[in-house]
Amino acid sequence: MVRLKSTIRGLPNYNPARKRIDEVKQEYGLKNIIKLDSNENPFGCSPILMEKLLPSTKRIARYPDWGILELREETACHLKVKPEQLIFGNGSSELLQLISRCFLEQGDNVVTADVTYPHYKTNAYIEGAEVTKVPLKDGRHDLSAMAQAVNASTKIIWICNPNNPTGTIVSSKEMHEFMRKIPNSVLVVIDEAYYDYVTDSSYPDMLSQVGNYPNLIILRTFSKIYGLASLRIGYGITTTSIVKKLNRIRDLFNVNFLAQRAAYLALQDQSFIQECHHKNSEGLYQLTAALDRLGLHYFPSQGNFLFVETGFSSGNIYEYLLKKGVVVRVEGSWRNPTAVRVTVGSKEENQVFLNELEHFLKQKDGAL
Ligand SMILES: *Cc1c(COP(=O)(O)O)cnc(C)c1O
């Protein structure tokens, strides 16, 4: 047997428990599934793509543009940054890999929140780095504790803002206080996957700070509000110097042609984004008002999802909802045995979720 790379030996196997949608349909005899488990856009993507993306398939026999120029110009213009400050990836997941691969080695340290997006730590482990996990405080990043956790070996600090799975944000004031404490030799990566959903005015404008802090990387994605999850495309905004370093190890054709084209077109339809932002705020209100009525605790969310403490085993709720055709997310790694994360769906989808949740709670109460 070929010996597995030592840094990978301790990693868990790929989540085998999660069922695919067609398996769920078949197993429970369901026609429709309401998929509220992956924070995708329930309204799809811009209708412009339906019309304009298909003709692009004529070109798929050719390798994509390795410079990603058309999209780079459009994104730079949209964000008011220089094109050379952008790095694109096969989903922002690839950027997590690239950043870790580029800067981490055996003996290095990484600081993350606990609980947050799990891939920050996984990529650190693969590179042989160790991870300091700083517990959330009331579901929020504890930035002063994270700053204190930095030691001489620390290379990267990951901040997920809004945080997945809790949906909470760190404020502008907290972020700036934090940045002032962190030495320039430590990279601060702020994952803003849910940026376009935020409504809270205390949310930091870190994009405008990219020039001011030479150690700052911001990550965004087209997978969430832009509705392009299946095409796999995300990007980072940072200094031209960091972009150059990351480009040394980037696969030349890491972003496929259809993804480049779709993202380019999607950026130009900001009215679709505004509409989705608005519907998401309404959906959050619809869900939180009902959860209040049911007396369930949740964290205040600035994303397109809610972290709900149900008071009952999350595994039982998951199974119950699944049989009714509603898929939510539960994870053992959250170490919260009653929590479920539910994506904000369409108004109708939210209502089905709430009805089924209420049925479940009534049944349980009756059984007690
Ligand atoms: C969904 C999500 C992403 C996006 O991943 P892609 O690879 O771009 O699809 C990144 N970070 C967080 C925290 C997310 O929840």
Side-chain angles (χ1 to χ4, degrees):
M1 276 289 264
V2 182
R3 267 162 55 87
L4 190 59
K5 179 166 151 175
S6 63
T7 57
I8 297 174
R9 270 178 229 146
L11 296 182
N13 284 316
Y14 180 74
N15 190 356
R18 200 181 302 163
K19 292 190 178 98
R20 290 171 42 250
I21 288 303
D22 48 357
E23 289 175 309
V24 174
K25 276 190 187 165
Q26 205 171 27
E27 190 168 338
Y28 299 113
L30 297 161
K31 269 211 200 75
N32 288 314
I33 294 283
I34 297 182
K35 200 172 172 304
L36 304 178
D37 66 332
S38 297
N39 301 344
E40 296 145 335
N41 188 339
F43 309 108
C45 62
S46 162
I48 289 180
L49 268 70
M50 300 303 145
E51 172 196 333
K52 292 203 176 164
L53 196 57
L54 203 59
S56 302
T57 52
K58 285 200 290 280
R59 212 195 148 284
I60 62 177
R62 304 285 174 194
Y63 281 107
D65 172 15
W66 56 266
I68 317 181
L69 288 185
E70 192 182 47
L71 174 62
R72 184 182 300 278
E73 294 287 341
E74 190 69 23
T75 312
C77 186
H78 176 67
L79 300 175
K80 303 187 174 59
V81 298
K82 285 188 276 184
E84 313 81 62
Q85 287 184 279
L86 298 171
I87 176 126
F88 290 87
N90 185 42
S92 51
S93 346
E94 192 198 13
L95 296 170
L96 308 186
Q97 288 172 20
L98 278 183
I99 292 165
S100 304
R101 196 170 182 190
C102 197
F103 295 102
L104 297 176
E105 56 198 328
Q106 201 94 34
D108 285 343
N109 170 265
V110 161
V111 176
T112 73
D114 184 26
V115 179
T116 189
Y117 199 52
H119 305 293
Y120 312 138
K121 66 169 189 290
T122 310
N123 284 298
Y125 291 142
I126 293 170
E127 303 309 326
E130 53 156 71
V131 180
T132 306
K133 294 179 232 158
V134 179
L136 298 175
K137 218 162 137 184
D138 296 327
R140 304 176 63 239
H141 278 64
D142 184 350
L143 287 190
S144 35
M146 288 179 78
Q148 271 169 25
V150 171
N151 62 35
S153 307
T154 305
K155 280 271 190 71
I156 304 179
I157 308 172
W158 295 93
I159 297 172
C160 189
N161 198 30
N163 187 41
N164 182 0
T166 54
T168 55
I169 58 164
V170 299
S171 71
S172 179
K173 186 165 167 286
E174 289 168 315
M175 192 69 93
H176 285 284
E177 272 171 24
F178 171 81
M179 288 304 292
R180 279 195 287 272
K181 291 185 211 162
I182 305 302
N184 285 347
S185 55
V186 178
L187 268 181
V188 177
V189 188
I190 306 179
D191 185 346
E192 296 187 342
Y194 301 97
Y195 170 86
D196 293 282
Y197 289 110
V198 173
T199 54
D200 189 328
S201 60
S202 75
Y203 184 72
D205 170 16
M206 294 314 280
L207 182 62
S208 66
Q209 300 303 314
V210 165
N212 293 347
Y213 298 113
N215 55 337
L216 178 64
I217 304 182
I218 293 170
L219 299 181
R220 303 255 178 104
T221 181
F222 285 101
S223 297
K224 301 290 155 60
I225 205 167
Y226 283 90
L228 304 182
S230 74
L231 289 175
R232 314 303 305 126
I233 178 162
Y235 59 95
I237 312 131
T238 182
T239 64
T240 52
S241 149
I242 293 176
V243 168
K244 271 189 196 149
K245 292 184 175 98
L246 293 170
N247 265 326
R248 288 193 195 193
I249 58 166
R250 177 176 75 91
D251 181 288
L252 205 52
F253 301 121
N254 68 330
V255 179
N256 75 73
F257 168 69
L258 286 179
Q260 293 188 29
R261 183 79 192 144
Y264 171 79
L265 294 169
L267 263 183
Q268 293 170 32
D269 189 0
Q270 288 301 313
S271 67
F272 175 77
I273 302 304
Q274 277 161 22
E275 186 186 320
C276 292
H277 169 97
H278 179 68
K279 286 185 188 161
N280 185 68
S281 299
E282 286 181 344
L284 272 176
Y285 181 76
Q286 178 190 6
L287 288 169
T288 54
L291 293 170
D292 287 343
R293 189 169 53 75
L294 295 170
L296 299 183
H297 177 266
Y298 54 85
F299 290 114
S301 175
Q302 289 289 310
N304 65 339
F305 55 91
L306 275 168
F307 190 84
V308 187
E309 281 164 319
T310 62
F312 293 98
S313 151
S314 46
N316 290 352
I317 296 206
Y318 175 83
E319 283 296 325
Y320 181 91
L321 292 175
L322 195 65
K323 284 181 190 147
K324 307 287 180 178
V326 181
V327 196
V328 295
R329 183 66 69 87
V330 303
E331 292 284 348
S333 57
W334 294 340
R335 279 175 272 98
N336 185 328
T338 80
V340 304
R341 191 195 69 192
V342 58
T343 303
V344 179
S346 66
K347 192 173 173 186
E348 297 73 29
E349 291 173 329
N350 296 335
Q351 199 52 55
V352 174
F353 161 74
L354 289 168
N355 292 347
E356 296 301 348
L357 180 65
E358 189 162 8
H359 284 154
F360 175 89
L361 296 173
K362 277 207 182 117
Q363 255 188 15
K364 284 287 175 180
D365 276 343
L368 283 177

